[in-house]
Amino acid sequence: MESTPSELAEGAAVIKVLAAVLERLVSANGKIAEMDPGVITRFHALKPPSISVLSYLQRIHKYASCSTECFILALIYIDRLIQRNNFLLTELNVHRVVITSIMLAAKFFDDQYFNNAYYAKVGGVPATEMNSLEVEFLFRINFSLHVTPELYNKYHSELVTHAVAADGKLPPSPNDVALVPPSPPMPPQQHPPVQGGNLMGVEGGAWTSAPGVGSFQSHQPIESQQQQQQQQQQQQFHQQQQQFYQQPSKPMNNFPAHPHPNPFANPNIPCMQAPFQQNGRVSGAVA
């Protein structure tokens, strides 16, 4: 679960942009919350936490060991929470919303993740509250955790736009922060050299490896050779069948006589014993 230095630097760049976006949104909703606070939810605190959003995200990135993609997925989940519930993100609920969304993203995307009790310690909330926040968040977004690559690249591009507008520095491109890492290129296939120093330079033919001979000989592909072998085996099988059926039949008098001609007369098997009458009633397996 340890991240490489390049992944740490990439995550730090994404965190700065994400913190700037959330702080700008919270600042814009501050005036609206003063006039209409809206419905109080499980994510609301009694007073704003003393830690800033940037420091809070840096703490999560340091101790949660989640991938960089989780922070972008968390932004998508937060946007779904706002759009589907008319949720007002303020300084009273942003911290709990952030830790819950990142925890869900890590569980959904990363191969390795911690339990809720650990994320609760990282986020500074009780474990029981972390469990209730997770359930509340999932129901509010209707358990919609899947994100298409097109939507992911769209949100990543938006973060790039905010980063350029903030300080003119360009974060990593969407190709650098891909949902699925590209597979390494396949090495070129090398043909083994032919004995005697000769080469196979022409498809469908081979140079003879005998010393002093450089003539070109026809070379059949491996598939045709296998087909010929299968045909030869089938022909041999048919010939053996014909020879077997052409032999005269022999009388089968060498088999030993069955010890019990009557199948119901075997005394070693109770259910196969012959039926017998007792007190006027027939008992046995076939009664």
Side-chain angles (χ1 to χ4, degrees):
M1 298 178 67
E2 295 181 358
S3 303
T4 61
S6 60
E7 292 176 347
L8 292 175
E10 179 182 331
V14 172
I15 284 172
K16 289 182 180 179
V17 182
L18 179 59
V21 172
L22 293 177
E23 288 176 351
R24 189 178 306 175
L25 181 60
V26 169
S27 178
N29 292 337
K31 297 180 180 179
I32 301 176
E34 292 178 357
M35 296 182 296
D36 183 12
V39 181
I40 304 299
T41 64
R42 295 180 182 270
F43 300 98
H44 283 76
L46 296 177
K47 60 180 181 179
S50 58
I51 185 173
S52 63
V53 177
L54 177 59
S55 301
Y56 195 65
L57 286 172
Q58 290 175 346
R59 172 183 172 85
I60 297 173
H61 180 254
K62 180 179 180 180
Y63 295 105
S65 301
C66 54
S67 61
T68 305
E69 290 83 358
C70 291
F71 293 93
I72 301 178
L73 293 176
L75 178 60
I76 298 176
Y77 297 161
I78 294 173
D79 198 6
R80 290 176 179 176
L81 177 68
I82 296 173
Q83 293 178 359
R84 299 183 182 185
N85 301 271
N86 197 18
F87 192 87
L88 191 64
L89 194 67
T90 64
E91 57 182 1
L92 295 178
N93 55 27
V94 61
H95 294 80
R96 285 178 170 81
V97 170
V98 164
I99 185 61
T100 308
S101 60
I102 294 176
M103 182 184 69
L104 291 175
K107 287 185 175 182
F108 184 78
F109 180 79
D110 288 350
D111 295 331
Q112 296 178 343
Y113 53 86
F114 296 102
N115 54 16
N116 289 17
Y118 184 84
Y119 288 108
K121 291 182 179 180
V122 174
V125 296
T128 54
E129 184 179 358
M130 189 78 258
N131 297 335
S132 62
L133 292 176
E134 179 184 21
V135 175
E136 180 78 11
F137 199 104
L138 287 172
F139 274 99
R140 284 182 174 271
I141 65 173
N142 197 18
F143 292 83
S144 178
L145 299 177
H146 178 262
V147 177
T148 61
E150 294 78 12
L151 184 62
Y152 176 87
N153 293 331
K154 177 183 177 181
Y155 274 82
H156 189 278
S157 301
E158 292 294 333
L159 291 179
V160 170
T161 303
H162 284 282
V164 173
D167 53 5
K169 295 182 180 180
L170 189 64
S173 62
N175 296 329
D176 297 332
V177 191
L179 284 174
V180 180
S183 58
M186 296 294 293
Q189 185 178 5
Q190 297 180 356
H191 298 283
V194 182
Q195 295 180 358
N198 299 317
L199 300 177
M200 295 178 60
V202 181
E203 183 179 359
W207 290 94
T208 57
S209 58
V213 180
S215 60
F216 183 80
Q217 296 181 350
S218 61
H219 181 71
Q220 295 181 348
I222 299 177
E223 295 181 356
S224 60
Q225 294 180 359
Q226 293 178 353
Q227 292 177 358
Q228 289 183 358
Q229 292 178 0
Q230 292 178 357
Q231 292 176 0
Q232 292 176 1
Q233 292 177 359
Q234 291 178 358
Q235 291 177 0
Q236 292 177 0
F237 177 74
H238 290 306
Q239 291 176 1
Q240 291 176 359
Q241 276 187 336
Q242 292 177 0
Q243 293 176 1
F244 176 78
Y245 287 115
Q246 289 175 0
Q247 293 179 358
S249 58
K250 298 180 181 179
M252 299 182 180
N253 299 326
N254 298 327
F255 289 95
H258 197 278
H260 301 287
N262 185 0
F264 296 102
N266 189 350
N268 298 323
I269 304 177
C271 65
M272 299 295 290
Q273 294 178 0
F276 61 93
Q277 292 184 359
Q278 183 178 5
N279 298 328
R281 296 183 59 185
V282 179
S283 63
V286 295

